[in-house]
Amino acid sequence: MFSWEQAFATRAARMKASEIRELLKLLERPDIISFAGGIPDPALFPQEAFAGAYAAILAGESGAAGLQYSVSEGYAPLREWLVGEMGKLGVPCGVDNILIVSGSQQGLDYLGKLFLSPGDTALVRWPTYLGALQAFNAYEPNYDQLTVSGNRTPESYRAAAAAAGGAVKFAYLSADFANPTGETLDLAGRHALLDLAEALDIAIIEDAAYQSLRYDGEAIPPVLALDVARSGGVNATRTLYCGSFSKTLAPGLRVGYIVAAEPVIRKLVLTKQAADLHSSTINQMAIAHVASRIFDAQVEKIRGVYRGRRDAMLEALARHMPDSVTWSRPEGGMFIWLNLPEGMDGAQLLARAVETEKVAFVPGQAFHADGTGANTLRLSFSCADPATIAEGMLRLGRLLRAAGA
């Protein structure tokens, strides 16, 4: 019998199922209270606005264009709208600095393909977004822990990468309300990150999927904005900004974007052409139609709802968690990160949680590139109302106490 495993490229061994995608199946079980899926609440989608957008596109002169092939760079009116939005964030740019991709996840895959040769090193946080590790893994990199606290020197990163058989190629992080921790990198940390990248002469991949979801505290300029201020213009920057409409408008349309210096965008366009020619034309048109009309109002609406759910979860954690458990207190986003006592295993705990307490979460080990973090877990508050959150935290606290926390 033909051996498929023998036929696969070596990179296939690095491809693993997402624990999160598997856990999403639990959402289909009505008896489970799930805090596992880091997904937006579908009740908050601007469904009527999109229904009107698709109807208007298909009924008008643009209908045929929406169903036709399009340019790889993306729908021009959408890119023009993004130019205005990036300007508000302190990033003056033009349409040639923007590529539309099929969700920012595709953008991460393209950036891994563009920068990583087998054996190269990517700097990531411990923990980091699992989807980024999945995207980069196919290109057979090594990982090193990205720290901006000053206890690692550029020389130590270079030496570790050389010993592993490659070079440091980029630093990846989510600076605002990171998945999975909910943490935000402060202004000093962002400047320290730029200093490190300059010393190493590497790129920075800034994952901005949650940037719009700030509930309190002062907004901090994106790393790309700070880079522009330092370098004098977007075409002189080393930061690649990955944005998405999935957390603000609708994830099912799979529309994201990359903002970067023109030489990088030109290379990414070639990658896009080879991969899928272009992102869905009609979906880009619909996003442009809706975003240009209601984006700010939509963001304000979801901020209000998610703020209330975050507050409810923080209050319930304080009420029900054992003293040995600590957690993050995010200023935005969708996640709270729990640290359990040493020796506890989140994956084993999940099996007991689903069986005995009918509550689900994501074990934290999968977010650690080095396989540590077994005693951590991620909770998402985006899809549960305050009453459900209160009941879920009651059950989780009871489970942890029974497990010896």
Side-chain angles (χ1 to χ4, degrees):
M1 179 180 290
F2 180 65
S3 172
W4 285 108
E5 293 296 329
Q6 185 178 10
F8 292 151
T10 55
R11 72 179 69 91
R14 303 284 298 270
M15 299 176 183
K16 299 179 181 179
S18 166
E19 291 191 22
I20 300 171
R21 305 305 301 177
E22 293 300 311
L23 283 168
L24 287 179
K25 297 173 184 176
L26 293 172
L27 296 176
E28 300 173 359
R29 289 182 50 179
D31 61 327
I32 298 291
I33 296 178
S34 178
F35 304 106
I39 59 177
D41 186 343
L44 300 176
F45 295 159
Q47 188 170 336
E48 291 185 6
F50 276 112
Y54 282 104
I57 292 165
L58 291 172
E61 296 180 359
S62 59
L67 301 176
Q68 182 59 281
Y69 287 115
S70 186
V71 297
S72 298
E73 290 83 351
Y75 182 54
L78 177 57
R79 292 158 67 211
E80 290 165 358
W81 183 83
L82 285 167
V83 165
E85 293 300 299
M86 294 307 298
K88 297 176 186 176
L89 295 174
V91 182
C93 64
V95 293
D96 291 334
N97 297 112
I98 298 174
L99 170 69
I100 303 299
V101 288
S102 298
S104 61
Q105 185 69 26
Q106 185 181 67
L108 296 178
D109 176 66
Y110 286 178
L111 292 170
K113 180 182 293 186
L114 185 60
F115 287 102
L116 293 171
S117 297
D120 281 339
T121 291
L123 306 184
V124 300
R125 304 304 291 269
W126 262 219
T128 195
Y129 171 47
L130 175 58
L133 297 179
Q134 286 190 295
F136 302 150
N137 276 346
Y139 306 106
E140 304 176 84
N142 298 299
Y143 296 104
D144 201 348
Q145 184 175 9
L146 172 63
T147 175
V148 295
S149 60
N151 58 357
R152 285 287 301 272
T153 64
E155 291 73 22
S156 72
Y157 281 118
R158 287 196 193 94
V168 182
K169 287 299 184 68
F170 59 73
Y172 163 83
L173 85 166
S174 180
D176 295 284
F177 329 122
N179 181 358
T181 63
E183 294 176 347
T184 294
L185 187 65
D186 63 17
L187 183 60
R190 296 178 196 218
H191 280 295
L193 173 64
L194 283 165
D195 291 341
L196 175 64
E198 290 172 8
L200 290 171
D201 198 21
I202 60 172
I204 298 170
I205 299 175
E206 180 178 14
D207 189 338
Y210 302 92
Q211 186 170 41
S212 294
L213 301 184
R214 175 173 285 280
Y215 312 136
D216 47 43
E218 292 295 322
I220 306 172
V223 177
L224 179 55
L226 300 175
D227 199 351
V228 167
R230 285 189 180 202
S231 62
V234 67
N235 287 323
T237 60
R238 64 179 67 246
T239 304
L240 308 120
Y241 180 100
C242 297
S244 174
F245 293 99
S246 292
K247 307 304 186 294
T248 51
L249 294 182
L253 276 63
R254 309 307 304 130
V255 178
Y257 52 96
I258 299 173
V259 184
E262 287 184 31
V264 182
I265 295 297
R266 287 195 292 268
K267 282 291 188 182
L268 289 169
V269 168
L270 299 180
T271 306
K272 183 74 172 168
Q273 290 172 354
D276 65 357
L277 301 183
H278 62 85
S279 297
S280 165
T281 307
I282 194 168
N283 286 356
Q284 293 182 67
M285 295 171 74
I287 287 283
H289 185 281
V290 172
S292 63
R293 289 162 171 79
I294 68 162
F295 185 80
D296 290 342
Q298 170 68 10
V299 168
E300 282 303 309
K301 179 178 77 170
I302 61 178
R303 279 176 178 166
V305 174
Y306 292 153
R307 179 188 295 112
R309 294 175 182 180
R310 179 208 56 180
D311 293 347
M313 182 167 282
L314 289 173
E315 181 182 350
L317 285 166
R319 187 184 313 120
H320 297 299
M321 289 301 110
D323 292 340
S324 58
V325 177
T326 61
W327 54 90
S328 61
R329 291 169 173 78
E331 294 181 329
M334 295 181 172
F335 307 107
I336 294 176
W337 185 250
L338 266 63
N339 293 285
L340 311 178
E342 290 291 336
M344 295 196 76
D345 187 297
Q348 295 178 7
L349 193 69
L350 175 63
R352 292 177 59 184
V354 172
E355 180 65 27
T356 64
E357 293 288 356
K358 308 299 183 187
V359 63
F361 49 82
V362 180
Q365 189 170 27
F367 298 97
H368 292 75
D370 66 342
T372 59
N375 65 316
T376 59
L377 59 90
R378 189 194 77 178
L379 300 173
S380 174
F381 51 78
S382 57
C383 284
D385 60 48
T388 302
I389 289 170
E391 175 63 25
M393 294 306 98
L394 171 66
R395 296 183 189 185
L396 182 58
R398 187 164 60 207
L399 175 77
L400 287 169
R401 287 187 173 85

